[in-house]
Amino acid sequence: QVQLQESGPGLVKPSQTLSLTCIVSDGSVSTGGNYWSWIRQHPGKGLEWMGFIYYSGSTYYNPSLKSRLTISVDTSKNQFSLRLTSVTAADTAIYYCAKAAGGYCSGGICQENWFDPWGQGTLVTVSS
Amino acid sequence: DIQVTQSPSSLSASVGDRVTITCRASQSISNYLNWYQQKPGKAPNLLIYGASSLQSGVPSRFSGSGSGTDFTLTISSLRPEDFATYYCQQSYTTPYTFGQGTKLEIK
């Protein structure tokens, strides 16, 4: 079973860029059919799908974040990353990486994905 | 975006009880509905995908049903380790969206 582990700074200043990496082990990001995802959870709140990437580099973003979000993949390092620009306190959350399997994407729209497994999550606080 | 609404938002039950949690989508999503369990301080864990398919390793006391707009997660006989928060997620189309969660507490 593939395992995922998030890494990155736990504190980011307002207006700066939040950068996180997800290291994939016991599996390959280059395996077809899987989409490598970022999901966040505001403190004490529900879950928000941010976006995901295929090993080919194709990306799919939540429109609510699209203007600030970039997800990239490094197949040589077997990891994928998130960059979120111009952060505010509203971006304070636990950030999870996860593998999305089971579905497919076509014409910019994806369907039928479920998230399994997830990384343990990392809390990122936006504060000066 | 497709809105997904769970009910109830919280629920008190006892070990051995049968519990049902409901998820309603704002439009028909066929059977593209997944369920997760989250315990405090942990990441969510996939229980059910495709509305009714049990993820490998998940106990058979968990079951899912429904299609269209209305879905249910049932735990047939609660065990102490089942007290957690449960989320549904629609996978009919991106952006994928989650329900607000149902917190299952011990009575």
Side-chain angles (χ1 to χ4, degrees):
Chain A
Q1 160 93 312
V2 66
Q3 297 186 65
L4 300 96
Q5 176 69 58
E6 304 89 351
S7 65
L11 181 63
V12 180
K13 289 182 167 51
S15 80
Q16 293 192 343
T17 296
L18 184 163
S19 296
L20 297 173
T21 295
C22 182
I23 299 169
V24 179
S25 57
D26 298 328
S28 172
V29 295
S30 300
T31 300
N34 297 323
Y35 296 81
W36 303 97
S37 315
W38 289 99
I39 297 162
R40 68 180 181 179
Q41 185 170 33
H42 294 100
K45 302 291 186 181
L47 298 155
E48 178 183 27
W49 174 74
M50 301 179 71
F52 53 37
I53 190 166
Y54 199 57
Y55 75 93
S56 61
S58 296
T59 51
Y60 305 85
Y61 297 134
N62 191 322
S64 68
L65 296 168
K66 188 173 184 177
S67 64
R68 299 193 292 132
L69 178 62
T70 301
I71 298 175
S72 59
V73 64
D74 187 335
T75 56
S76 67
K77 294 183 178 179
N78 212 34
Q79 64 186 39
F80 61 105
S81 300
L82 167 154
R83 290 182 73 250
L84 186 67
T85 61
S86 305
V87 297
T88 69
D91 295 307
T92 293
I94 298 171
Y95 287 77
Y96 295 100
C97 58
K99 185 188 80 174
Y104 63 94
C105 297
S106 177
I109 298 293
C110 304
Q111 189 173 58
E112 208 174 351
N113 297 106
W114 53 82
F115 300 106
D116 179 71
W118 299 54
Q120 66 183 26
T122 187
L123 174 63
V124 178
T125 301
V126 178
S127 175
S128 56
Chain B
D1 298 0
I2 296 176
Q3 305 304 313
V4 181
T5 304
Q6 286 181 237
S7 61
S9 56
S10 64
L11 175 60
S12 294
S14 301
V15 172
D17 284 354
R18 180 183 180 89
V19 166
T20 297
I21 298 169
T22 297
C23 185
R24 174 164 288 176
S26 59
Q27 66 180 73
S28 178
I29 58 171
S30 185
N31 68 332
Y32 299 138
L33 193 285
N34 310 311
W35 290 97
Y36 302 85
Q37 177 193 67
Q38 185 178 34
K39 296 182 178 179
K42 300 293 187 181
N45 181 52
L46 178 69
L47 298 174
I48 302 283
Y49 61 93
S52 61
S53 296
L54 192 67
Q55 172 67 348
S56 176
V58 174
S60 59
R61 63 181 180 275
F62 291 92
S63 64
S65 65
S67 66
T69 60
D70 294 319
F71 302 85
T72 58
L73 172 70
T74 300
I75 310 171
S76 61
S77 180
L78 277 173
R79 293 178 60 89
E81 59 267 34
D82 300 337
F83 292 94
T85 300
Y86 293 84
Y87 293 93
C88 57
Q89 172 237 331
Q90 67 82 15
S91 58
Y92 181 75
T93 189
T94 47
Y96 294 137
T97 47
F98 293 82
Q100 80 279 14
T102 295
K103 187 173 184 179
L104 179 54
E105 299 174 305
I106 300 174
K107 184 183 289 185

